[in-house]
C-alpha cells in the first residue's frame, strides 16, 4: 500500500527486477516497522524483489539515504522541522500520523474525545515523560508549544519505549504523548486522546535518491 502511493519507487523496483537485481535496501523507523513493514514486504515480494530491511531511528536513516547506502526509507517530519535531505533525494508523503495525549484513565481530560490546544497547554503543571533524546522532533513540537505560552515542562522520566511509557502513565507517574501509528491496546488505567491541533501531526515520508544517470541499483 505504501509503495502503491509512490509510483516512482515502484518504477525503481521494477527496473531492479529487469536488471536481474533482487535486493532492495530499505530502511524504516521502529513504529513504521511494526505497522507498515509487513505490507511493504508483501508488496515487494509480489514483484520478485528481496527486501533487505534496516531498522534505525530517524537521524541515522536520513544519513544513510543521503549517502545512498539505502535504496529507499520511511522517515517522518514534523511541522517546522525540515529534514536535512540532500537535493538529490526525493520525498513522497505516504500518510499523516496525528499525535495522541496519554493520560491516566481518571484524569479530567480523559473524558473528552479529543484534546484542543488550550486544554493541552493547561497541563503545564503536570509531570511529563519525554524521549531520551532531548532534541527528538516530536518532543520539540510539544515543548515548543508550551515554551511559546510561557511554560517549561517538568520532565521527570524519559524513555523511547512506548509500551513502558503507557505503563508509567497508567501508574499516574507522568503524562505523555505518542503517534497514533504506535498506539495499540491501551493499558488498563490509561487513556489515549487525539490532539486536535494540526501542528501535532507528523508526516510519514518515503525517501529515495532521484532518478537519473547517477541512480544505480543495489548490488
Amino acid at each position: 500500500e505504501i509503495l502503491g502511493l509512490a509510483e516512482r519507487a515502484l518504477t525503481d523496483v521494477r527496473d531492479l527486477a529487469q536488471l536481474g537485481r533482487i535486493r532492495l535496501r530499505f530502511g524504516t523507523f521502529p513504529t513504521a516497522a511494526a505497522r507498515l513493514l509487513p505490507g511493504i514486504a508483501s508488496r515487494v515480494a509480489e514483484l520478485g524483489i528481496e527486501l533487505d530491511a534496516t531498522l534505525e531511528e530517524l537521524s541515522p536513516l536520513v544519513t544513510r539515504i543521503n549517502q545512498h547506502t539505502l535504496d529507499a526509507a520511511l522517515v517522518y517530519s514534523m511541522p517546522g522541522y525540515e529534514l536535512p535531505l540532500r537535493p538529490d533525494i526525493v520525498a513522497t508523503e505516504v500518510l499523516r500520523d496525528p499525535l495522541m495525549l496519554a493520560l491516566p484513565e481518571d484524569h479530567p481530560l480523559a473524558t473528552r474525545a479529543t484534546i484542543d490546544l488550550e486544554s493541552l497547554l493547561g497541563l503545564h503543571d503536570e509531570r511529563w515523560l519525554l524521549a531520551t533524546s532531548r532534541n527528538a522532533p516530536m518532543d520539540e513540537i510539544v515543548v515548543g508549544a508550551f515554551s511559546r505560552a510561557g511554560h517549561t515542562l517538568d520532565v521527570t522520566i524519559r524513555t523511547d519505549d512506548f509500551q513502558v511509557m503507557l505503563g508509567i502513565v497508567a501508574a499516574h507517574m507522568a503524562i505523555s504523548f505518542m503517534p497514533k501509528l504506535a498506539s495499540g491496546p491501551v493499558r488498563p488505567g490509561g487513556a489515549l486522546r487525539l490532539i486536535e491541533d494540526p501542528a501535532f501531526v507528523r508526516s510519514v515520508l518515503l525517501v529515495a535518491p532521484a532518478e537519473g544517470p547517477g541512480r544505480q541499483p543495489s548490488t
Side-chain angles (χ1 to χ4, degrees):
E1 180 180 356
I2 294 297
L3 291 180
L5 294 171
E7 183 177 353
R8 188 189 57 77
L10 271 176
T11 300
D12 284 350
V13 171
R14 293 191 182 101
D15 288 345
L16 293 176
Q18 292 169 3
L19 291 171
R21 307 290 188 176
I22 59 171
R23 285 181 61 239
L24 181 70
R25 301 169 301 180
F26 188 82
T28 179
F29 57 97
T31 51
R35 291 296 186 91
L36 305 178
L37 189 57
I40 294 172
S42 176
R43 181 73 179 99
V44 171
E46 291 175 2
L47 298 171
I49 304 298
E50 178 184 352
L51 192 69
D52 185 2
T54 298
L55 184 65
E56 296 272 14
E57 294 297 339
L58 181 60
S59 181
L61 284 176
V62 171
T63 297
R64 293 193 61 181
I65 204 70
N66 280 337
Q67 295 173 345
H68 293 202
T69 58
L70 291 173
D71 297 308
L74 283 177
V75 298
Y76 66 87
S77 66
M78 299 293 297
Y81 179 83
E82 184 175 351
L83 292 176
L85 295 170
R86 287 176 40 169
D88 63 332
I89 303 299
V90 175
T92 303
E93 183 180 77
V94 293
L95 64 88
R96 308 210 77 195
D97 188 21
L99 300 189
M100 307 184 77
L101 183 66
L103 301 160
E105 64 179 359
D106 58 357
H107 192 282
L109 290 185
T111 60
R112 301 187 182 185
T114 59
I115 307 298
D116 58 72
L117 181 59
E118 182 179 358
S119 298
L120 179 68
L121 295 178
L123 299 173
H124 56 85
D125 288 332
E126 297 270 0
R127 292 171 297 176
W128 282 79
L129 181 155
L130 297 183
T132 54
S133 173
R134 295 179 183 272
N135 60 352
M138 287 190 296
D139 286 4
E140 288 291 301
I141 293 294
V142 174
V143 171
F146 280 90
S147 178
R148 288 188 295 273
H151 306 301
T152 300
L153 293 185
D154 178 16
V155 182
T156 58
I157 306 174
R158 290 184 178 272
T159 181
D160 293 323
D161 189 316
F162 288 123
Q163 292 305 309
V164 171
M165 179 268 282
L166 291 173
I168 290 172
V169 169
H172 295 75
M173 298 172 64
I175 64 173
S176 191
F177 63 93
M178 67 189 302
K180 186 177 181 180
L181 190 63
S183 64
V186 180
R187 292 286 188 91
L192 292 173
R193 299 293 181 265
L194 281 174
I195 301 173
E196 291 179 347
D197 193 279
F200 295 85
V201 178
R202 68 177 183 176
S203 295
V204 177
L205 308 169
L206 180 67
V207 294
E211 293 181 277
R215 178 77 167 101
Q216 296 295 328
S218 305
T219 57

